[in-house]
Structure formats: structure tokens, C-alpha cells
Amino acid sequence: MASTCSATTPKSIVLTPPSSSSTDKLSNLSFLNSSISTSFKLAQSISISHSHSEKATFITTNVLKTVESIDISRSKTRDLESVISTSKPTILVSEKLGEAGLDLLRSFGNVDCSYNLSSEELCSKISLCDALIVRSGTKVTRQVFEAAKGRLKVVGRAGVGIDNVDLQAATEFGCLVVNAPTANTIAAAEHGIALMAAMARNVSQADASMKSGKWQRNKYVGVSLVGKTLAVMGFGKVGSEVARRAKGLGMHVIAHDPYAPADRARAVGVDLVSFDEAISTADFVSLHMPLTPTTNKIFNEGNFAKMKKGVRLINVARGGVIDEDALVRALDSGIVAQVCFSCQCK
Ligand SMILES: O=C(O)[C@H](O)COP(=O)(O)O
């Protein structure tokens, strides 16, 4: 769901299609191949702690190599084939995936698609599962790992954000957590740019107004993007693609990311700056950081106060990085002129 609201124009909610098609995502879900127990053992000691981390790719690559080697030995060794087929893992899929992904999973294990489970139902099923595939809706809490009683070997996140998985508990219980870090990079970046342009030109408000029989073209002229400064907060996969596109629109792009190397930013023509410099000089601020204890409500009263009056925000990351009560006050006071988001908020 994506929404836009503004201090200067009527607040409105706009529903938009999902950020990418199932097919787009599935083409990148190859890590799900890892549900053979042999490959779990090889990769199990590594866990992902930051969604921008290169480790994510490293783990996925490792798992895939393991599966490739199993596939080769399958054709050569009948014994191994019989071991694999008689010890199929049980894979619980707790949120809707496309059929192509499910078919892939079914070729490796017994797949149980059970959606909308309560946390009690998830906990009661999990002790019979070797793998759990989730999107962002399933909360994989410590209780889930405890209830698994050591059987759960991998949690596959069919998407990027892993803030719904208790990584500390996963590590303690020796469970691998893998995501699909590039699955929806372009879709998310394009969606961010689409929201920014629609927000700047009041597209949804003008649309609603016109559908109510009015023709208020002067009211919804909006602002130009060209020549404006965009601060990209989080220069990972999505953030850097947003930066690339924003430069094409004639914007001056700066970025803040404590983990991004300066030469990667320079290659896109972007200056990496401090958090405070980014938020205090930008006309538009686009959020692309993961939700972690450090980034939780990082856009709070104090940081809104540092922003330029009339700043516009785009959030295609996680609702939790913004303190929403502070945001409402910043909209009311005019510090924030407009905000658009494509993530869950209160
Ligand atoms: O983190 C992600 O990959 C995106 O927010 C999409 O999550 P979803 O698959 O739960 O919609």
C-alpha cells in the first residue's frame, strides 16, 4: 500500500499495485533451493545481521554452490539420490508465494502452505518443520525458535527486509536466516521515484479532485524536481538505484550511509555526507535504510527540527524508521510539506 499526504494540500490515501510482480520476485528466489539438509550444514554457521551486508550475497552463493554440487552427484550416485528422496525436508510457507516458487520448493521437500497463522498456530506447527519461508507479514520471534525444538534449520525471507525475524534468537538456536537481497531492488527504486514525482506534482490529489467534478489546476501545480537536492538515506541496493534515477531527472543527489564505500557513491556521481548534513540541506529526503534498533524512529522530533522548512519525504523502507507522531507535528508545522510512503504505518 502506498500513501501520500501533505501539509499544504488535502491529505489523501492512494492504493497502488504491489511493488513488483510475483514473477519478478520468483526469478530471484533461488536461495530456496537450500532446503536440502546437507547444504544447511555447510552454511549454518553464518547469519545475516544487516540487509545491506555483502554477507547476504555470500551466503546465497554458498548455498547455491552446495546445491549445484548435489545436483551433479545426483546424476552420478544412486545412493545419494535415495537418501535425498527418503529424507525430504518439510518446508512451511507461511505467506503467499507464486506457483513457480512453490513448484521449486516441492521438488526439494514436502511443502505446507499455511497462510495467516496466529503466533500460537505457527509455534505449534514449527517443531515439525526443517525450513520456514516468510515474507514481511510473519513475525519469526524467539518463541518460534524455542517451539522449533532445534529442528528448524533455515528461515528464508522471500524479500529484502529481515526486521520480522529475531536474528539474535536465530543465531542462538543455530538457525540460518537468508533473504533475497536483490529480489525487488529495481521495483522498489522505481516505486520510490514514482511516488516522489507523484507527490511533487500532487498527482493523487489532483486525480481525486477531478473525479469529484472539480478542475483546480492552479491548486495542484506542485514543485519541480530538477535542480532540487535529494538526500538518499541508506545507499544500499535500492538507495543507489534511486540515486541513479534521480540524477537522470536533473536532481542534485547526496547520500548518507555509514556502511557504503565513498567510491561506490562517487561512481554514481553522489557525495556521501553526514546524517545531519543530508537532512539539513535536502529538499527531498528518500529513506532506504533497514529497520534496526539503531534506525528505529530515527526520524524523530529532533531530526525533523534540523530539516529545511518545506522538505518532502519519501519512505519505501519501513514505517518504523519514522516516529509518526513527530511526523504529524512536522506536517502540521510546515517543516515537512509532503510525505509519501509505501510501507506499513500506524
Ligand atoms: O522487504 C521487502 O522485500 C519488501 O518490503 C517487500 O516485502 P513483502 O514481500 O512482504 O511485500
Side-chain angles (χ1 to χ4, degrees):
M1 179 185 292
S3 307
T4 64
C5 49
S6 137
T8 51
T9 50
K11 294 178 171 62
S12 62
I13 305 289
V14 185
L15 296 184
T16 65
S19 60
S20 72
S21 70
S22 307
T23 325
D24 285 344
K25 288 187 177 179
L26 286 168
S27 61
N28 292 291
L29 292 182
S30 44
F31 75 88
L32 301 181
N33 281 304
S34 68
S35 53
I36 293 173
S37 55
T38 313
S39 49
F40 295 154
K41 283 181 196 137
L42 291 178
Q44 204 167 338
S45 60
I46 311 163
S47 70
I48 301 166
S49 60
H50 190 290
S51 72
H52 289 167
S53 162
E54 292 308 314
K55 280 182 184 173
T57 313
F58 174 74
I59 292 170
T60 306
T61 309
N62 259 5
V63 172
L64 286 176
K65 276 188 181 152
T66 309
V67 172
E68 274 165 21
S69 63
I70 285 172
D71 283 345
I72 293 163
S73 34
R74 265 183 172 180
S75 62
K76 291 183 179 165
T77 318
R78 286 194 65 184
D79 284 355
L80 179 58
E81 183 150 29
S82 66
V83 170
I84 289 171
S85 63
T86 54
S87 60
K88 277 189 159 190
T90 297
I91 305 164
L92 175 61
V93 178
S94 67
E95 290 178 70
K96 199 157 172 39
L97 296 185
E99 274 308 308
L102 292 174
D103 284 347
L104 188 63
L105 290 173
R106 287 185 189 112
S107 68
F108 287 116
N110 304 312
V111 177
D112 172 4
C113 293
S114 296
Y115 307 142
N116 304 315
L117 294 173
S118 66
S119 51
E120 291 75 25
E121 288 166 333
L122 177 59
C123 285
S124 77
K125 268 181 175 288
I126 204 72
S127 63
L128 301 172
C129 301
D130 302 286
L132 169 64
I133 311 291
V134 301
R135 290 176 56 181
S136 58
T138 306
K139 305 294 169 226
V140 193
T141 59
R142 177 172 289 278
Q143 286 71 35
V144 175
F145 291 106
E146 280 166 357
K149 299 190 173 78
R151 175 156 173 184
L152 187 66
K153 298 173 188 70
V154 62
V155 175
R157 165 67 170 97
V160 183
I162 44 174
D163 45 281
N164 53 323
V165 182
D166 186 332
L167 295 179
Q168 177 62 38
T171 305
E172 286 172 27
F173 284 85
C175 183
L176 176 66
V177 179
V178 289
N179 65 350
T182 58
N184 48 16
T185 302
I186 300 300
E190 288 179 351
H191 195 53
I193 293 286
L195 288 181
M196 176 170 71
M199 171 175 68
R201 291 301 184 180
N202 297 313
V203 172
S204 57
Q205 294 91 334
D207 177 63
S209 160
M210 204 171 166
K211 283 175 179 159
S212 72
K214 297 178 193 148
W215 175 238
Q216 301 174 289
R217 56 183 174 170
N218 292 333
K219 182 172 180 184
Y220 296 120
V221 167
V223 294
S224 202
L225 297 179
V226 71
K228 298 287 176 8
T229 297
L230 169 69
V232 173
M233 308 303 287
F235 199 73
K237 294 181 174 62
V238 178
S240 53
E241 290 300 333
V242 164
R244 213 185 289 276
R245 284 158 179 74
K247 286 194 71 78
L249 294 170
M251 300 185 85
H252 170 59
V253 184
I254 55 177
H256 171 74
D257 188 323
Y259 304 101
D263 53 348
R264 189 153 61 80
R266 265 196 305 274
V268 185
V270 169
D271 290 330
L272 281 182
V273 298
S274 69
F275 184 92
D276 280 1
E277 186 178 344
I279 63 169
S280 61
T281 54
D283 303 296
F284 289 78
V285 177
S286 190
L287 313 186
H288 301 286
M289 64 271 283
L291 178 61
T292 67
T294 313
T295 63
N296 186 35
K297 294 192 177 171
I298 193 166
F299 291 91
N300 50 29
E301 197 91 47
N303 282 328
F304 282 128
K306 295 175 190 163
M307 293 183 175
K308 252 178 150 172
K309 195 167 168 63
V311 68
R312 290 173 165 79
L313 298 185
I314 304 103
N315 186 6
V316 293
R318 285 292 184 270
V321 301
I322 294 182
D323 176 338
E324 288 166 20
D325 296 327
L327 173 63
V328 170
R329 287 191 290 276
L331 278 163
D332 287 342
S333 71
I335 293 177
V336 175
Q338 291 183 294
V339 58
C340 57
F341 45 82
S342 175
C343 47
Q344 276 190 336
C345 298
K346 258 193 269 178

